Amino acid sequence: MLELKHISKWYNVGGKPTFILKDINLKINDGEFVSIMGPSGSGKSTLLHIIGMLDDASEGEYNFMDQAVHTLREKQRSQLYKQHIGFVFQAYHLIDELTVYENIETPLIYQNIKSSERKAMVADILDRFQIVGKKDLFPTQLSGGQQQLVGIARALIAKPRLLLADEPTGNLNSRQGEEIMDLFKQLNKDGVTIIQVTHSEKNAGYGSHIINLLDGRVEQ
Amino acid sequence: MFKNYLKIAWRNLLKSKAYSAINILGLSVGMTVVVLIGLWIHDELTYNKCHDKYDLLGQVLITQTFNGEIGTGSAIAIPLADELRTKYGGDFDQVSLSSWNMERIVAYGDKKFTKEGMWVQPNFPDMLGLKMLAGSRSALKDPSVMILSASLAKSLFGKEDPMNKTIKINNKTVFTVGGVYEDMPHNTTLQDATFFGPWDNYFNSEPWIKNAVQNWGNHSWQLFVQMNKHADVSKVNAKIKDVPMQHLKASEGWDEHVLIHRMCDWHLYSKFKNGKIVGGRIQFVWLFGTIGFFVLLLACINFMNLGTARSEKRAKEVGIRKTIGSVRRQLIAQFLSESVLLALLSFIVAIILVQLSLPWFNKLADKDMSILWANPLFWLCCIAFTILTGLLAGSYPAFYLSSFQPIKVIKGTFKASRFSSVPRKILVVVQFTVSVMLIIGTIVVFRQIQYAKNRPVGYTREGLFQVSINTPDIYGHYDILRSDLLKTGVVANMSESSSPVTAVWSNQIGFDWEGKDPNATPLLGTIAVTHDFGKTIGWKIIRGRDFSREFGTDSLALLLNESAVKLTGIKEPVGKVIKWNGKAYTVIGIVKDMVMQSPYEPVQPTLFTLNYDWTSIITVKINPETSMSRALAMVEPVFKKYNPGSPFDYKFIDQEYARKFESEERIGKLASFFAVLAIFISCLGIFGLASFVAEQRTKEIGVRKVLGATIFNIWQLLSKDFLLLVTIAFIIATPLAYLFMHNWLKDYEYRTILSWWIFAVSCAGALLITIATVSYQAIRAALNNPVKSLRSE
């Protein structure tokens, strides 16, 4: 599904490059459930952002579904990830001014999907996640676990092939965390490729495959 | 998608109520000003447009050179009319002589009113395109018929049919009502003409008018023309320019030219210099237009400033939207639709504010304007302008906010860079530059008015009132009227004169004296007075003596004012002889200059002559101990007795004098109104900004307080930046304001100086207002418990 070749990322601090990622080579196939682990500052999140096309690599090639992402223009890139990638964040990042329903609906609006179709899709996912009763509430009226559920629903609404999750359970208690991880496992079974960044060995265990990062390099 | 934007916009609006209130209030105040100014400008630009021959009508003006100055005026000689009618008939479709708009007593039965109207030739109503409610426009062909405005007809006849009713003018002449016309709108030059009477009747009523029929030198009337559709005004002007000179050759040194002043220029382009139009009220149209633009700009700046200041709050939303697939264009569209929504809400508030403030604004501007509810163009303009405002105000925040990199926001590393506040600061400086300029301008305008008001007038205004001599009844009763008035015990003195104390109605040439430059044709103001005039108004004789009943020869005596002495150049004028139209008059005294005309201009050279026949105004001085109301009650029966055909209409001299300041006071009031609003809007802006700065620096303030900063330290920290910006604004505003006001003052001969303290006071004012505005936020932030602010991090 995607392949990173010699990906490096650095910032210039005081004229000297400081590496965040160094020569990463990575191949992830359709249907995998990959966990990226590593201590703070090892570059996990940056790697995830580069995969999610939110950030550019300083060097290297990135192919996503047979397209050379590093050569694409911003518009094409946005088109690409809009269709194929969903994000889940540690801090949920829901839009506070929108209701649960509207938060989930927003990505569809950006993909110019018709109103009637949107309604059906949102209703479907609300049902699937059993949050129909919450659809008119605002994010601040929900618990952390519920908010993350909405976050995931929003990430999945456009039926992406790839789900990127940055510490999805980081702000949740263990019971809520478990529920989310079970959900991920179920999604993976249904065919969604998942890449998650996590601190927790236990959560990493849900995945099919673990990548350990240390100081910007992949530990083999 | 648009619905989604609006939903978000609406919820954001409700969520941050203070912010929305500041934004909407600021913007709607700005829009209110713009709509008011827009209505004002519309009113000015449509002046006289109610006449359907607007493009063809014109007035004939005359340019003359006197005392070395070229003046342009509307007083013409009667034969000019016939000359234009007969020799230039191809260029003029219609020509009509007219009298000035003058007061007449119009009486029907017991009802008597003093009303203004004009005596015109029969075709004049047709030229004006009067909308007749009854009768016909050509009614004036019959010299015993008058036409009346609807309002005058209503007050005279009430519900009765006015047609063919008999009315009496000045208790003397009887006319039949031959027509009623719809009142002309307030924004017409001739709005005060409440009746039109036949020229022929007027012409035959007085020998001096009849005698002027072939006199090219007597300029006492007006002349209106309707151009031929194909006539080119500039060509016609060139053709007729020298018409009077063909007839005036005889008199030496006389220079006179005529020109057509088109109706479209009457109101806005009425200022002449060297016989050419140099401007007029159009300068106020530009001035207020500019002010309106700037006030709106200030409001837009607030909008932008507050919008960008909130960027950190909105940054998260931008980041999320970008990660779930929004492109920048969509975000820009979102933010712009938000600002357009706010602008539309502000417009609704503005329309309410306009409706509420219009009566007051009308009074201030001396207009009769209303919101043009039924005019689709008005609404189209308003909506277009509102949307434009929304786009303009929202553009900077939209482009700025949408440029955020989502990754930074998501990661939480987003911090507005140190320089992101630079544009915001520039905008604050612009705001305060405009505000400070308006403060300075307002102070200067009021200083100038005050300066002119404090000018010594040379006579005593207190306790004086005037009554016009308007019917034949009162003539020839001078002595008995005066003695009856004095008998009431409340009147100190009474006199008559040919001009009121607050004007000089007659200027003449034809003077000669020993040592006069033979080529000069000096023009002097000429006022006929009775023996008691000087004592009544309290003028000061600085040399020689006043007119006196003891000297029978005083009928051939003159008093000169100081300016006249200067003009003649006579060293010791008292006792010298001045010839006036060949008749020798002896100068018996010099009167201290009196401000009878514009208080901003030098006193005109004027002479006073003793003449009991050439009088039109009675001036009465009330005993200083008597209250005015009691005095008037005592005086009224006396006037009724000698002038039974006239209502007792009086004018107080001090009020008449105050009217000379009306125009400047109006400008001053409007300017201060705009200045207050500009400052208000600017204050709203910095108030909002200060609150955001305080919020942004909550953590810093907390840390500083833990480290031992006092409330004063914190206040200083937060206020410093703003004070610096205001100071910069002041430095920019001062020279600009100096330049503008210097130019404005240049038009006044008698003017105040631009002293430094005006600028100092404006600066201090702006700084004080800023401190007061910022302090509220600063002190609130400083009083916060640091534990609370630090824990939240």
Side-chain angles (χ1 to χ4, degrees):
Chain A
M1 160 166 253
L2 63 89
E3 188 172 21
L4 305 182
K5 285 183 190 163
H6 308 294
I7 288 286
S8 294
K9 174 87 182 169
W10 66 79
Y11 291 109
N12 281 322
V13 178
K16 270 205 249 166
T18 305
F19 280 89
I20 309 220
L21 295 174
K22 213 164 185 183
D23 196 26
I24 306 278
N25 292 290
L26 201 63
K27 196 173 173 187
I28 291 167
N29 296 317
D30 261 344
E32 277 195 85
F33 186 169
V34 179
S35 302
I36 304 176
M37 294 197 69
S40 286
S42 58
K44 309 182 295 286
S45 292
T46 307
L47 180 60
L48 196 72
H49 289 144
I50 288 176
I51 294 171
M53 302 176 207
L54 291 178
D55 208 353
D56 292 325
S58 308
E59 197 178 77
E61 289 177 24
Y62 174 25
N63 295 311
F64 180 82
M65 297 178 72
D66 304 326
Q67 295 214 48
V69 176
H70 53 278
T71 63
L72 293 180
R73 296 231 306 277
E74 153 149 21
K75 216 172 174 181
Q76 297 162 305
R77 212 182 289 183
S78 140
Q79 200 58 37
L80 196 62
Y81 83 68
K82 226 159 49 171
Q83 274 179 27
H84 301 295
I85 300 177
F87 275 99
V88 176
F89 302 97
Q90 175 176 357
Y92 332 125
H93 285 332
L94 300 176
I95 298 176
D96 292 337
E97 288 76 20
L98 297 182
T99 61
V100 166
Y101 183 95
E102 288 156 354
N103 260 297
I104 296 173
E105 185 190 24
T106 307
L108 299 178
I109 294 174
Y110 287 131
Q111 293 189 26
N112 297 323
I113 290 171
K114 266 186 262 149
S115 162
S116 53
E117 216 171 315
R118 289 206 302 262
K119 252 184 208 158
M121 289 168 84
V122 177
D124 190 41
I125 208 152
L126 284 171
D127 197 31
R128 183 163 146 209
F129 281 35
Q130 294 167 8
I131 45 177
V132 179
K134 308 257 184 309
K135 74 179 168 59
D136 291 325
L137 297 180
F138 286 93
T140 44
Q141 295 167 304
L142 300 177
S143 74
Q146 288 166 332
Q147 286 193 49
Q148 192 58 297
L149 218 51
V150 176
I152 295 168
R154 184 180 67 184
L156 294 174
I157 185 74
K159 305 207 163 48
R161 304 274 300 276
L162 175 64
L163 184 67
L164 300 177
D166 194 353
E167 305 249 17
T169 61
N171 285 8
L172 303 179
N173 66 32
S174 57
R175 193 180 52 79
Q176 291 170 327
E178 255 170 54
E179 280 170 22
I180 296 295
M181 290 322 295
D182 285 337
L183 177 63
F184 273 27
K185 190 143 193 187
Q186 186 56 42
L187 288 171
N188 184 241
K189 247 186 220 160
D190 297 344
V192 181
T193 311
I194 297 177
I195 305 176
Q196 68 161 340
V197 163
T198 182
H199 272 304
S200 135
E201 290 278 353
K202 189 177 146 217
N203 286 351
Y206 283 85
S208 57
H209 166 169
I210 295 176
I211 297 169
N212 280 301
L213 278 185
L214 186 65
D215 294 338
R217 292 169 194 275
V218 177
E219 280 200 327
Q220 295 302 337
Chain B
M1 176 140 21
F2 191 65
K3 212 173 109 197
N4 187 279
Y5 292 164
L6 288 185
K7 210 178 321 181
I8 284 259
W10 182 249
R11 287 187 191 147
N12 263 319
L13 208 76
L14 295 182
K15 201 177 131 196
S16 28
K17 288 196 183 72
Y19 165 84
S20 310
I22 289 179
N23 247 343
I24 293 183
L25 188 63
L27 207 54
S28 54
V29 167
M31 285 179 169
T32 305
V33 171
V34 172
V35 173
L36 286 177
I37 290 182
L39 287 173
W40 187 85
I41 290 179
H42 174 263
D43 192 83
E44 289 285 302
L45 294 182
T46 54
Y47 221 87
N48 286 331
K49 279 213 170 141
C50 69
H51 300 295
D52 48 13
K53 299 193 180 94
Y54 175 77
D55 296 319
L56 300 173
L57 291 180
Q59 182 171 13
V60 179
L61 300 186
I62 279 188
T63 299
Q64 291 166 312
T65 310
F66 285 114
N67 304 351
E69 275 178 42
I70 302 174
T72 301
S74 51
I76 54 91
I78 292 180
L80 182 59
D82 263 340
E83 187 94 354
L84 294 186
R85 203 175 279 138
T86 51
K87 291 200 184 149
Y88 302 91
D91 295 320
F92 302 111
D93 282 355
Q94 304 198 66
V95 175
S96 171
L97 278 164
S98 106
S99 72
W100 304 102
N101 201 16
M102 40 192 165
E103 282 185 356
R104 287 289 186 264
I105 301 160
V106 184
Y108 172 68
D110 291 338
K111 286 186 188 159
K112 291 175 202 135
F113 301 98
T114 307
K115 290 284 180 185
E116 281 178 37
M118 292 162 84
W119 303 93
V120 298
Q121 294 189 308
N123 50 355
F124 197 60
D126 178 59
M127 287 166 70
L128 291 186
L130 292 181
K131 295 179 184 68
M132 302 304 292
L133 302 173
S136 102
R137 283 180 189 163
S138 53
L140 296 183
K141 277 182 182 149
D142 179 346
S144 65
V145 163
M146 281 179 73
I147 58 173
L148 310 179
S149 73
S151 58
L152 177 57
K154 186 151 186 265
S155 39
L156 278 174
F157 308 112
K159 281 180 185 151
E160 290 176 57
D161 177 16
M163 289 300 285
N164 299 318
K165 288 264 172 7
T166 311
I167 53 174
K168 209 168 182 187
I169 299 295
N170 276 5
N171 208 17
K172 191 170 81 176
T173 327
V174 174
F175 288 93
T176 312
V177 178
V180 176
Y181 59 89
E182 194 178 288
D183 285 9
M184 281 179 268
H186 70 280
N187 61 347
T188 45
T189 307
L190 299 175
Q191 56 174 310
D192 293 329
T194 57
F195 64 80
F196 290 100
W199 168 267
D200 282 349
N201 188 295
Y202 163 78
F203 178 76
N204 289 317
S205 67
E206 308 250 0
W208 69 274
I209 308 175
K210 231 171 163 175
N211 292 341
V213 69
Q214 283 309 326
N215 184 348
W216 284 85
N218 189 345
H219 299 82
S220 300
W221 299 275
Q222 305 186 89
L223 182 55
F224 296 94
V225 295
Q226 178 186 330
M227 309 286 299
N228 186 286
K229 249 180 237 153
H230 307 291
D232 176 347
V233 175
S234 56
K235 276 187 196 148
V236 174
N237 268 337
K239 239 194 274 184
I240 62 170
K241 186 175 179 223
D242 290 321
V243 167
M245 289 314 287
Q246 293 160 9
H247 302 270
L248 284 163
K249 270 170 211 152
S251 43
E252 245 175 86
W254 190 316
D255 185 49
E256 173 176 321
H257 304 285
V258 299
L259 67 131
I260 309 285
H261 191 212
R262 301 176 60 189
M263 186 179 243
C264 51
D265 293 336
W266 283 4
H267 184 63
L268 293 175
Y269 300 89
S270 57
K271 211 168 137 193
F272 286 84
K273 208 169 184 180
N274 295 328
K276 296 221 161 51
I277 293 175
V278 290
R281 278 180 76 92
I282 188 72
Q283 78 179 88
F284 293 117
V285 173
W286 281 109
L287 178 72
F288 289 137
T290 314
I291 289 179
F293 171 77
F294 274 109
V295 171
L296 185 66
L297 183 71
L298 295 189
C300 285
I301 287 176
N302 268 355
F303 200 96
M304 295 185 197
N305 267 349
L306 294 176
T308 49
R310 265 167 47 100
S311 58
E312 283 178 39
K313 285 199 158 176
R314 296 301 292 273
K316 183 185 153 201
E317 186 191 330
V318 172
I320 296 168
R321 282 181 182 274
K322 280 195 168 179
T323 59
I324 57 178
S326 166
V327 289
R328 190 166 174 203
R329 196 163 37 83
Q330 289 164 320
L331 283 170
I332 291 174
Q334 182 192 335
F335 286 119
L336 284 182
S337 44
E338 254 178 57
S339 67
V340 169
L341 176 75
L342 262 175
L344 286 170
L345 284 176
S346 306
F347 177 69
I348 293 169
V349 177
I351 283 291
I352 295 169
L353 288 178
V354 168
Q355 184 63 24
L356 291 177
S357 61
L358 252 182
W360 172 82
F361 186 72
N362 272 333
K363 217 168 143 197
L364 189 67
D366 192 25
K367 293 247 181 222
D368 183 21
M369 301 175 290
S370 51
I371 296 182
L372 310 164
W373 296 110
N375 187 341
L377 198 68
F378 170 77
W379 294 109
L380 204 69
C381 282
C382 283
I383 297 298
F385 137 89
T386 304
I387 290 175
L388 199 74
T389 305
L391 293 179
L392 182 74
S395 59
Y396 180 66
F399 284 95
Y400 177 68
L401 286 172
S402 65
S403 72
F404 292 155
Q405 281 185 326
I407 185 74
K408 286 194 178 159
V409 184
I410 301 293
K411 267 189 185 164
T413 55
F414 176 82
K415 263 267 152 314
S417 81
R418 217 156 62 86
F419 297 103
S420 68
S421 63
V422 169
R424 217 177 296 158
K425 284 178 176 165
I426 292 173
L427 293 177
V428 171
V429 169
V430 172
Q431 275 192 325
F432 270 83
T433 305
V434 175
S435 300
V436 169
M437 280 174 67
L438 280 171
I439 300 179
I440 294 175
T442 309
I443 296 180
V444 173
V445 171
F446 280 114
R447 282 281 301 163
Q448 168 67 6
I449 294 168
Q450 207 48 50
Y451 184 71
K453 274 190 174 168
N454 289 342
R455 182 176 179 183
V457 289
Y459 63 91
T460 317
R461 284 196 300 268
E462 285 70 34
L464 285 182
F465 70 85
Q466 67 182 47
V467 176
S468 0
I469 303 174
N470 46 10
T471 69
D473 311 345
I474 202 161
Y475 278 107
H477 295 117
Y478 181 84
D479 288 323
I480 182 121
L481 174 68
R482 180 158 179 269
S483 76
D484 272 13
L485 283 173
L486 292 178
K487 253 186 250 161
T488 60
V490 294
V491 171
N493 213 335
M494 183 213 98
S495 66
E496 291 182 3
S497 54
S498 62
S499 300
V501 191
T502 50
V504 177
W505 280 350
S506 163
N507 296 295
Q508 296 194 27
I509 55 167
F511 298 99
D512 197 11
W513 57 85
E514 220 182 290
K516 176 184 158 276
D517 172 6
N519 294 323
T521 40
L523 178 80
L524 272 89
T526 47
I527 299 176
V529 298
T530 58
H531 283 99
D532 312 291
F533 186 71
K535 278 160 226 110
T536 305
I537 66 167
W539 68 16
K540 290 180 191 66
I541 302 291
I542 55 175
R543 212 155 314 150
R545 61 172 178 85
D546 199 347
F547 293 117
S548 164
R549 290 190 166 88
E550 285 163 29
F551 295 83
T553 52
D554 274 3
S555 56
L556 283 175
L558 288 180
L559 286 173
L560 298 180
N561 70 359
E562 292 170 287
S563 304
V565 172
K566 219 176 285 162
L567 179 81
T568 59
I570 305 173
K571 283 271 153 47
E572 279 300 329
V574 177
K576 295 272 161 58
V577 170
I578 288 182
K579 278 188 176 167
W580 179 10
N581 290 334
K583 221 164 160 187
Y585 290 80
T586 313
V587 178
I588 56 163
I590 300 172
V591 181
K592 193 170 168 51
D593 274 347
M594 294 190 288
V595 182
M596 301 179 79
Q597 292 168 301
S598 166
Y600 306 107
E601 274 162 33
V603 173
Q604 197 200 353
T606 307
L607 64 80
F608 299 89
T609 172
L610 200 59
N611 188 335
Y612 278 71
D613 297 322
W614 178 26
T615 55
S616 39
I617 297 289
I618 298 171
T619 307
V620 179
K621 169 85 173 178
I622 297 298
N623 268 330
E625 309 87 66
T626 320
S627 80
M628 200 40 113
S629 54
R630 199 176 90 90
L632 287 171
M634 306 277 288
V635 161
E636 183 170 356
V638 182
F639 275 97
K640 283 270 173 196
K641 184 174 160 197
Y642 293 101
N643 198 7
S646 163
F648 179 55
D649 284 329
Y650 51 87
K651 286 173 181 156
F652 296 116
I653 303 293
D654 48 0
Q655 282 175 8
E656 289 296 293
Y657 188 76
R659 280 176 53 184
K660 296 179 186 297
F661 298 93
E662 264 176 6
S663 147
E664 273 70 21
E665 276 181 337
R666 192 162 294 137
I667 297 167
K669 278 182 196 156
L670 282 173
S672 54
F673 168 57
F674 295 136
V676 166
L677 288 183
I679 293 163
F680 173 71
I681 292 172
S682 305
C683 282
L684 272 186
I686 55 169
F687 183 80
L689 276 186
S691 74
F692 283 113
V693 170
E695 202 176 296
Q696 243 174 25
R697 294 172 83 166
T698 307
K699 187 179 164 196
E700 179 194 340
I701 292 166
V703 173
R704 280 177 189 272
K705 277 190 86 174
V706 171
L707 294 179
T710 62
I711 290 176
F712 179 71
N713 294 141
I714 304 288
W715 172 80
Q716 225 179 1
L717 178 80
L718 291 175
S719 309
K720 202 175 58 191
D721 285 355
F722 287 103
L723 291 182
L724 182 72
L725 295 181
V726 172
T727 311
I728 294 172
F730 174 72
I731 292 168
I732 299 170
T734 304
L736 286 175
Y738 181 86
L739 214 70
F740 280 130
M741 295 327 288
H742 185 76
N743 264 330
W744 182 74
L745 282 176
K746 234 171 40 189
D747 284 346
Y748 298 96
E749 289 274 349
Y750 188 82
R751 59 178 175 247
T752 179
I753 46 163
L754 287 166
S755 29
W756 61 270
W757 68 260
I758 294 175
F759 298 92
V761 163
S762 312
C763 179
L767 285 176
L768 270 177
I769 292 169
T770 312
I771 290 173
T773 313
V774 175
S775 291
Y776 172 76
Q777 294 292 349
I779 291 172
R780 213 174 65 150
L783 287 174
N784 262 345
N785 186 348
V787 177
K788 231 162 131 190
S789 60
L790 290 181
R791 194 169 45 202
S792 72
E793 275 293 313

